[in-house]
Amino acid sequence: MTYDASPAFAAAQDAADPLATFRQEFHIPPGPDGQPTAYFCGNSLGLLPRAARAAVEAEFKSWETQAVEGHFHGESPWMFYQDALAESAARVVGALPLEVVIMNTLTVNLHLLLVSFYQPTATRYKVLMEGGAFPSDQYALESQARLHGLDPTDAIVELTPRPGEHTLRTEDIEAKIAELGDSLATVIFGGINYYTGQVFDMAAITRAGHAVGAKVGFDLAHAAGNVVLSLHDWDVDFACWCTYKYLNSGPGGTSGVFIHERFAHQPDLLRLAGWWGHDPQERFQMKPGFRPSPGASGWQLSCGQVLPMAVHRANLELFDQAGGVATLRIKSEKLTGYLEYLINQLQLPKTKLEIITPTDPAQRGGQLSLLVHERGRELFDYLAARGIIADWREPNVIRLAPVPLYNSFEDVHRVGAALLQFYGEQ
Ligand SMILES: *Cc1c(COP(=O)(O)O)cnc(C)c1O
């Protein structure tokens, strides 16, 4: 696609955008001047869709009028509420409904999955992670290693980019996996690194991990709802994601879990159990002896969190209405490409500002990370004062996430114009 820096270009793109009407489905927070912000923080907390309030209100109504009977009656009985989300959640990550369950929160689910998919032995006990993974994932893995009586500094191998590079090369990941060989128990990577915005080649990493007999899983916090995923076909063993970033399902929102079909009928696979994971036919018989429900739902512990799930359900419906992630991705690539174009137009020396997110659209989602070597915080505040909401990561990274459901080309143009002004004023 050819871009140009004029405001007319942005207006024409918005006028021709088949997804433009979805912006009206969201509440865009006002900026300092009372006008809608240009919100580029959807990779941290997605905006509130208008439909979410009604979805929660419907469950309040059930609670108000039916109380305990809401578990079995009403439009969507709470007892089966999570099952009603599985199909569209599975579409988001490229899975079978049997392979997906919505429950808990992300780090909790990561731990539950590691119980099943990180079972170190005396010789096969290493975990491979991307260096600089999201802190919660680092802490989770450290504590899992300790849980098994291992020294985290020995058990956990972190792979970092080559000197002078910001992102990992797939061939280096594959080589590291081969090198660890029989000592490697589990590979756990982000689908997208939160800091650089790099999309990892999940199919290649899974292949390489399986070739040495390791389990392979992904934290899809920044990938779910952002890029096209095919977890089933890629043969990924397990994955989890939060729903409050690109999936717009609210602060502390619920989380999703993927467990490949090949584990669906393995009741003996080690796991932590609770009554909601029990065979639903017998769940209310209150009998001793855990018999897991087939598939990912056999990892549930507690009765479903209906209110956060109601918010998520409204969002999944929006994703379906928009034509799914593949359709959103077409606009996402254009928005991110346009943002990159406008930044490159400034022709700033790398000593001032560089984009550390890969330039290849296949290796990034809806995010650019700017490493701002000089006056980074000042630039961030300058943008905020002009109603441009970005994300600041210490010590000097500004992340901007154009989201196809609610960001416009005009939003991106606002960023370009503000940057031009900031650097023009120097
Ligand atoms: C956002 C994010 C988390 C947050 O986990 P919560 O348990 O939802 O607080 C964890 N890991 C990654 C990679 C993230 O991007």
Side-chain angles (χ1 to χ4, degrees):
M1 158 156 215
T2 1
Y3 300 105
D4 90 54
S6 70
F9 173 84
Q13 288 301 313
D14 284 330
D17 172 15
L19 295 171
T21 54
F22 280 92
R23 180 176 171 84
Q24 287 139 37
E25 304 292 330
F26 289 85
H27 292 279
I28 316 274
D33 60 357
Q35 293 304 305
T37 45
Y39 189 79
F40 286 95
C41 229
N43 56 346
S44 192
L45 182 72
L47 291 181
L48 170 64
R50 295 180 189 277
R53 193 167 267 128
V56 175
E57 190 53 48
E59 301 317 319
F60 276 146
K61 198 78 205 167
S62 268
W63 186 10
E64 179 184 328
T65 57
Q66 314 204 50
V68 72
E69 289 299 314
H71 282 104
F72 309 102
H73 299 290
E75 225 169 275
S76 198
W78 300 331
M79 160 115 173
F80 310 106
Y81 203 92
Q82 62 283 337
D83 307 332
L85 278 67
E87 267 194 34
S88 38
R91 276 193 283 278
V92 168
V93 295
L96 308 173
L98 173 78
E99 295 174 316
V100 167
V101 68
I102 300 299
M103 60 180 189
N104 308 322
T105 47
L106 174 53
T107 308
V108 170
N109 284 335
L110 182 57
H111 277 296
L112 293 179
L113 288 166
L114 288 168
V115 165
S116 300
F117 298 103
Y118 176 53
Q119 295 186 37
T121 66
T123 53
R124 190 187 279 281
Y125 66 95
K126 302 249 183 199
V127 180
L128 180 66
M129 299 180 77
E130 90 242 42
F134 197 86
S136 197
D137 299 35
Q138 297 181 32
Y139 307 151
L141 266 300
E142 277 173 27
S143 59
Q144 285 279 333
R146 288 206 182 89
L147 187 70
H148 292 286
L150 298 166
D151 171 3
T153 58
D154 178 32
I156 300 170
V157 179
E158 289 185 52
L159 190 61
T160 47
R162 294 185 188 187
E165 298 186 7
H166 295 292
T167 52
L168 285 167
R169 300 189 191 197
T170 304
E171 74 239 44
D172 290 355
I173 303 172
E174 290 169 329
K176 193 67 184 177
I177 290 172
E179 180 198 318
L180 290 167
D182 289 346
S183 73
L184 186 61
T186 304
V187 178
I188 174 83
F189 257 62
I192 297 183
N193 180 271
Y194 81 100
Y195 193 75
T196 64
Q198 178 183 19
V199 177
F200 294 112
D201 186 338
M202 289 169 256
I205 294 172
T206 305
R207 262 194 311 275
H210 287 174
V212 298
K215 294 286 189 293
V216 181
F218 294 94
D219 181 333
L220 302 173
H222 283 81
N226 179 11
V227 293
V228 177
L229 299 166
S230 304
L231 298 182
H232 177 84
D233 290 345
W234 293 339
D235 219 22
V236 168
D237 293 304
F238 67 98
C240 47
W241 57 96
C242 56
T243 62
Y244 51 80
K245 291 171 180 166
Y246 291 90
L247 292 166
N248 312 316
S249 301
T254 186
S255 163
V257 159
F258 165 89
I259 295 163
H260 198 278
E261 186 188 19
R262 67 180 156 278
F263 306 108
H265 303 284
Q266 295 189 15
D268 295 334
L269 180 54
L270 194 66
R271 72 190 77 186
L272 296 180
W275 74 319
W276 227 248
H278 194 87
D279 178 358
Q281 309 296 325
E282 293 185 345
R283 190 180 289 154
F284 285 91
Q285 294 176 14
M286 311 303 210
K287 288 200 289 205
F290 177 69
R291 289 196 350 155
S293 164
S297 67
W299 269 261
Q300 292 173 97
L301 297 180
S302 299
C303 60
Q305 293 157 289
V306 170
L307 299 178
M309 279 198 286
V311 176
H312 188 41
R313 188 174 182 173
N315 277 291
L316 290 171
E317 281 167 13
L318 274 180
F319 270 73
D320 282 334
Q321 283 163 22
V325 182
T327 305
L328 291 167
R329 191 55 188 140
I330 297 168
K331 178 176 172 188
S332 173
E333 283 187 24
K334 286 184 191 166
L335 284 174
T336 306
Y338 182 40
L339 180 61
E340 180 182 47
Y341 168 83
L342 292 175
I343 294 167
N344 287 340
Q345 284 288 100
L346 300 169
Q347 298 190 320
L348 296 169
K350 274 198 168 181
T351 48
K352 269 194 182 154
L353 182 150
E354 59 183 313
I355 301 174
I356 57 172
T357 306
T359 49
D360 173 9
Q363 290 182 55
R364 68 185 183 199
Q367 174 183 328
L368 289 184
S369 301
L370 318 183
L371 189 53
V372 192
H373 296 286
E374 289 173 13
R375 302 165 67 212
R377 186 70 210 192
E378 197 185 323
L379 172 59
F380 177 79
D381 294 338
Y382 186 91
L383 295 175
R386 280 149 190 80
I388 296 163
I389 310 301
D391 170 89
W392 175 254
R393 293 286 135 171
E394 293 293 344
N396 56 358
V397 165
I398 294 175
R399 300 186 308 166
L400 291 160
V403 173
L405 271 174
Y406 50 75
N407 281 123
S408 61
F409 288 84
E410 197 216 324
D411 285 342
V412 176
H413 190 268
R414 272 174 76 178
V415 179
L419 288 171
L420 192 63
Q421 225 180 349
F422 179 81
Y423 286 105
E425 281 170 12
Q426 280 184 67

